[in-house]
Amino acid sequence: MRTVAVVGASLAGLYAARALRAQGYDGRLVIIGDEIHRPYDRPPLSKEFLTGAMAEDQLALSDAEEESELDAEWLLGVRAQGLDTRGRTIRLDSGRTVSADGVVIATGATPRRLPGTTGTAGSAHLRGVHTLRTLDDARALRAELTTGQPVQVVVVGGGFIGSEVASSCVALGHHVTVVEAAPLPLLPQLGDAMATICAALHADHGVELVTGTGVTALRGTDTVTGVLLDDGRLLPADVVVVGIGAVPGTRWLKGSALALRDGVLCDDGGVTTLPQVVAVGDVARVGSSRAEHWTNATEQPAAAVRNLLAGRTVETARPLPYFWSDQYGVRIQFAGRRLPCCTVRITEGSTDERSFLAVYEREGVTVGTLALNRPRPFMRLRRELARGCRTPAAAAAAAAAAAAAAAV
Ligand SMILES: Cc1cc2nc3c(=O)[nH]c(=O)nc-3n(C[C@H](O)[C@H](O)[C@H](O)COP(=O)(O)OP(=O)(O)OC[C@H]3O[C@@H](n4cnc5c(N)ncnc54)[C@H](O)[C@@H]3O)c2cc1C
């Protein structure tokens, strides 16, 4: 291969570029990113960066030395607008095109927005309403939260990002309400019992959690003043943060030959319907699943790049799912899969102390683990689960369970 283009200059894109060089690719490497920034880390944006405990320069994912070693052409502040049907030419919004023998798609995901808050023609853009995905989003939110005065913050969505933002707002002295449409936040990921315990963290820290109702409208003329709920309640708000999930960044691929369905469809090795195009990170639906987690975005690229260079799938890339979240001084970690009919059991610690290790079991087999503030035993069990995933019996059991889950 003479030219490989990586589209998306963030976590998965950087790991793909590193993997290309580490695997001996010495051709032209072009990295295209629509943000003006070099790759930076997103997890702190809802945590230490928002509270001011981490400075902007600490977010960088690489340094000048590594960037010079990568020997890549960085096209930043430039959006890819199309990939031709053979997957060999990328059209950019600057009018330029980039031709490549291999393409790595790493365009991540963008936040879902509440209708009426996007600022696009025909809908009102209210000051004080935020989503949080990029450094620029985080700068804007931080500026509003650090004026010195306690304000009323409403967080729409009680998932990981919403909960972390709520936690950071409390640390900054604000009054916070979290609105969650489901009966409990994190229900699909954790199941009823464990989601109840994680939800209690909000109450522990004086945050009101309103569940089982969505948002009808935001109130305000230029600046947001309130959030009108489906059940008729009006919550006063000076700042609203919308954290209702993200959609994979595939819009630019419409009209290409790639199969798209909630992400770029790939085989287990990250290879798309075109062998010279692979996808990694939040945008990639690898096998039958798509993950929006940091570790996944760092673990997939090595295999995807190997397959790209080989011209066919020679390695699979489905690491054991793992994520963490930091809320109210508690580190939440989860690894594995919560399958239907799982039972959950606390194996050490206590839920009252918000410090415990739990295992998810199906037919006597551990398929997942959750920890609150128990990083060491959790990591041990995570390693065991990852090893277990590789035994044929466990792989067959996991495949059967996943098929059963897909059929539910
Ligand atoms: C606030 C926040 C907190 C998080 N906290 C955690 C956490 O605690 N734990 C955890 O496991 N995960 C966390 N995550 C998730 C983790 O950061 C993501 O899984 C990871 O960033 C995915 O990397 P990616 O490279 O696939 O996508 P992204 O990081 O989204 O990068 C994609 C890049 O591609 C660019 N792009 C998109 N379309 C185009 C285009 N057409 N042309 C050019 N460029 C394009 C985007 O602007 C972006 O720069 C968090 C995410 C956020 C936003």
Side-chain angles (χ1 to χ4, degrees):
M1 263 179 201
R2 289 152 63 135
T3 302
V4 174
V6 176
V7 188
S10 181
L11 185 66
L14 177 66
Y15 273 72
R18 283 178 183 163
L20 279 160
R21 292 303 190 212
Q23 292 177 28
Y25 171 71
D26 61 1
R28 180 175 171 234
L29 176 57
V30 184
I31 303 177
I32 300 159
D34 62 355
E35 294 185 71
I36 55 168
H37 312 289
R38 296 265 164 162
Y40 61 87
D41 214 14
R42 290 179 207 274
L45 298 182
S46 48
K47 310 176 185 77
E48 303 90 333
F49 180 76
L50 208 52
T51 59
M54 187 184 269
E56 211 166 293
D57 57 7
Q58 294 173 280
L59 298 174
L61 283 170
S62 64
D63 55 24
E65 192 184 333
E66 186 196 35
E67 282 167 17
S68 121
E69 278 166 17
L70 275 182
D71 189 22
E73 284 171 46
W74 294 81
L75 305 181
L76 297 179
V78 180
R79 168 160 280 268
Q81 280 189 320
L83 179 69
D84 76 359
T85 48
R86 288 165 53 244
R88 303 234 182 244
T89 306
I90 297 155
R91 193 161 31 84
L92 307 180
D93 65 356
S94 60
R96 189 178 155 182
T97 56
V98 174
S99 298
D101 321 292
V103 175
V104 180
I105 296 171
T107 43
T110 50
R112 276 205 191 92
R113 290 168 194 273
L114 282 174
T117 64
T118 59
T120 52
S123 65
H125 179 63
L126 291 175
R127 272 201 302 272
V129 180
H130 299 263
T131 54
L132 181 54
R133 181 82 196 179
T134 66
L135 175 58
D136 295 343
D137 295 340
R139 281 177 180 163
L141 179 58
R142 183 158 100 160
E144 287 212 38
L145 294 173
T146 50
T147 55
Q149 294 297 316
V151 296
Q152 192 68 49
V153 181
V154 175
V155 178
V156 182
F160 291 115
I161 290 180
S163 295
E164 289 176 356
V165 168
S167 158
S168 296
C169 288
V170 167
L172 290 167
H174 301 302
H175 310 289
V176 185
T177 305
V178 175
V179 180
E180 167 60 49
L184 268 177
L186 306 179
L187 201 50
Q189 293 92 340
L190 303 183
D192 194 49
M194 295 299 115
T196 303
I197 292 160
C198 289
L201 294 173
H202 294 297
D204 290 352
H205 294 84
V207 170
E208 190 189 355
L209 175 63
V210 179
T211 58
T213 182
V215 168
T216 303
L218 300 178
R219 291 283 186 247
T221 40
D222 296 326
T223 303
V224 72
T225 55
V227 177
L228 182 64
L229 303 183
D230 291 347
D231 64 12
R233 266 180 290 177
L234 180 64
L235 304 176
D238 304 301
V239 174
V240 173
V241 183
V242 180
I244 54 172
V247 289
T250 54
R251 223 173 54 186
W252 69 284
L253 294 166
K254 284 202 177 120
S256 72
L258 300 182
L260 308 174
R261 197 174 64 244
D262 183 36
V264 179
L265 297 197
C266 307
D267 68 10
D268 280 352
V271 179
T272 68
T273 37
L274 298 173
Q276 71 280 15
V277 181
V278 296
V280 290
D282 286 11
V283 75
R285 177 165 282 275
V286 174
S288 57
S289 59
R290 188 174 70 79
E292 289 181 12
H293 301 305
W294 194 95
T295 308
N296 177 69
T298 61
E299 289 182 346
Q300 275 177 349
V305 158
R306 193 172 309 287
N307 297 331
L308 181 72
L309 295 176
R312 66 194 169 87
T313 303
V314 292
E315 188 178 329
T316 58
R318 295 191 67 189
L320 183 80
Y322 164 68
F323 60 78
W324 82 92
S325 176
D326 296 322
Q327 302 170 21
Y328 307 107
V330 175
R331 169 147 288 201
I332 300 172
Q333 292 169 292
F334 184 91
R337 294 179 180 83
R338 191 187 79 81
L339 304 167
C341 311
C342 269
T343 53
V344 58
R345 190 164 58 86
I346 308 292
T347 57
E348 61 173 82
S350 123
T351 56
D352 288 347
E353 287 166 19
R354 313 295 189 228
S355 171
F356 64 87
L357 183 76
V359 293
Y360 290 75
E361 293 169 326
R362 190 169 143 133
E363 292 166 9
V365 176
T366 301
V367 292
T369 177
L370 170 75
L372 265 63
N373 274 347
R374 292 266 162 165
R376 281 200 184 160
F378 173 86
M379 290 315 257
R380 246 191 331 265
L381 191 47
R382 179 186 164 202
R383 276 194 299 274
E384 279 172 29
L385 275 170
R387 271 198 302 272
C389 274
R390 289 196 207 110
T391 68
V408 170

